[in-house]
Amino acid sequence: MTTKRTLVLWDVDQTLVDYPGAGRDWYARALSAVFDQDLIHSPQFGGRTDRYITVQLLEAHGIECTDEQVERVYAKVIAIAGAERDGLAGLGRILPGAVEVLRDLADRPEVVQSLVTGNLAELAEVKLAAFDLLRYVDFEVGGYGAVSADRHELIAAARTAAEAKYGTVFAPGSVVVIGDTPHDIAAARHHGAVAVGVATGRHSVEELVECGADVVLVDLSDPAAVIATLLRTA
Ligand SMILES: [Mg+2]
C-alpha cells in the first residue's frame, strides 16, 4: 500500500534563516575581486534567484553577460561565503519555530522535505549548516538558484528530482511551497503548487494574501499550528 506523500519545499532567506545584508556583501566583494568594480547598482535580492541577481549585476555594471562570466561570479561568491562558514551563525539568526517545524516534518514518512531557494546550492548549504538545519531536509532534491532566473523553474526541478528519487508522483496539489515574498507565491501558483506565505520578510500578511497565497502565516513560532496548516493544505 502506498501512502499519499506531500512534498514540502522551503525557501531559505527570511523564511527559515535571516542573514541581513550578507548576500549583498558577498556580491559586492565578488564584483570587486573578479572585475575590479564597486557595487554601484544593487540588484533586488528578495525572492530572486542567484542567476537572476548575477545577470542583473553584470548588465547594470556594463559587464558582458556570458555564461563564463556568470560562472566566475558564482565561484567567487561561493568562495567568499565558504570562507565565512565558521562565523556565519554570528551574522544571522534562525527564525523562531523553524527548527521545530523542520524536525517534526523530517520525522514523518508521508512528507518529503526539501528546498526551493534562489540561493545557489552551495550558498543554501552554508546558510543552513550554520544552524545545523541540513539534517532535516533532503538537500539532494531541492531547486536552487543556478537553475534559472525564473523561480518557478526551480520548483519544477525539485519536483522532478523528488519524483525520480522517491518513485512517487507528486501531483501539483501535493506540493507545498513556503516562502516570504510575492516571487515565492507567484512561482508556486505558476506551478499549480500550494502557496504558503510567511510574513517574516519584507512583505506583510496582507500583501502575500493579495498576490494569491493559499495561506499566509505570520511566522513559524507556533510549530503545531504551522504543521497542521501545511499538511491540511496539501
Ligand atoms: Mg526568502
Side-chain angles (χ1 to χ4, degrees):
M1 197 183 89
T2 53
T3 312
K4 179 177 172 273
R5 295 181 106 176
T6 301
L7 178 61
V8 176
L9 298 170
W10 291 93
D11 172 50
V12 169
D13 292 306
Q14 297 185 299
T15 296
L16 295 174
V17 293
D18 189 17
Y19 294 94
R24 187 183 188 283
D25 176 55
W26 294 343
Y27 272 96
R29 288 158 59 191
L31 189 68
S32 170
V34 178
F35 301 107
D36 196 25
Q37 286 210 29
D38 291 333
L39 180 69
I40 298 165
H41 310 285
S42 187
Q44 290 181 337
F45 286 87
R48 297 295 192 178
T49 76
D50 275 325
R51 176 164 290 279
Y52 177 93
I53 291 165
T54 300
V55 168
Q56 294 290 308
L57 188 79
L58 293 175
E59 288 177 350
H61 292 82
I63 300 163
E64 194 188 1
C65 187
T66 62
D67 284 348
E68 188 198 344
Q69 302 286 52
V70 168
E71 291 294 336
R72 290 175 73 196
V73 174
Y74 288 172
K76 184 53 77 176
V77 170
I78 290 165
I80 290 167
E84 292 194 347
R85 177 182 288 272
D86 290 346
L88 204 57
L91 298 178
R93 67 188 179 110
I94 182 166
L95 292 177
V99 67
E100 291 82 0
V101 175
L102 288 172
R103 187 192 295 135
D104 182 293
L105 291 177
D107 282 342
R108 293 175 186 254
E110 76 274 23
V111 172
V112 173
Q113 181 166 237
S114 190
L115 307 168
V116 160
T117 167
N119 282 284
L120 298 174
E122 295 87 345
L123 301 184
E125 194 269 331
V126 293
K127 287 178 178 179
L128 294 184
F131 294 105
D132 199 21
L133 298 179
L134 286 171
R135 63 176 69 207
Y136 304 119
V137 296
D138 185 344
F139 194 81
E140 195 178 77
V141 301
Y144 302 100
V147 167
S148 174
D150 293 324
R151 196 174 179 105
H152 64 83
E153 293 188 12
L154 281 47
I155 298 175
R159 184 177 159 206
T160 301
E163 289 183 340
K165 180 167 177 177
Y166 292 91
T168 300
V169 173
F170 292 102
S174 61
V175 178
V176 181
V177 174
I178 312 161
D180 66 290
T181 74
H183 297 297
D184 299 74
I185 305 304
R189 291 185 59 88
H190 181 98
H191 198 71
V194 177
V196 179
V198 57
T200 42
R202 290 191 174 79
H203 302 277
S204 67
V205 169
E206 291 72 20
E207 278 177 83
L208 295 170
V209 167
E210 237 166 59
C211 63
D214 293 289
V215 180
V216 180
L217 304 162
V218 174
D219 56 31
L220 306 177
S221 66
D222 182 349
V226 173
I227 290 157
T229 300
L230 293 182
L231 297 183
R232 194 174 54 237
T233 56

